[in-house]
Amino acid sequence: VPGLFNYKLHTVAKHFNIDIPNRHRAMGDCEITHNIWMEISKLLRERNACTLKEIIEIEKMGNYKPSGFTRK
């Protein structure tokens, strides 16, 4: 997710429009992290990236558009 101001949990969660209840509590942070991962996984599947090599290639190409990886 390039282009974010920082990569703190709440910043990335806001980028994906994920609610942030119970911040700084173990279960709350775990749920936020899970939801972020689900969003990133969905974006990678849309780009048919199944291996680390394919993910790195997407990053090198800057192939983040049309949806999801850049700010809306």
Side-chain angles (χ1 to χ4, degrees), residues 8-24:
K8 295 178 181 178
L9 189 62
H10 70 274
T11 303
V12 179
K14 285 183 180 182
H15 172 76
F16 287 111
N17 297 314
I18 295 171
D19 289 331
I20 308 173
N22 300 316
R23 182 73 174 102
H24 297 295

Side-chain angles (χ1 to χ4, degrees), residues 16-40:
F16 287 111
N17 297 314
I18 295 171
D19 289 331
I20 308 173
N22 300 316
R23 182 73 174 102
H24 297 295
R25 307 304 307 160
M27 189 54 123
D29 286 357
C30 182
E31 289 172 350
I32 295 166
T33 302
H34 168 78
N35 290 334
I36 290 170
W37 173 245
M38 296 307 293
E39 290 295 323
I40 291 172

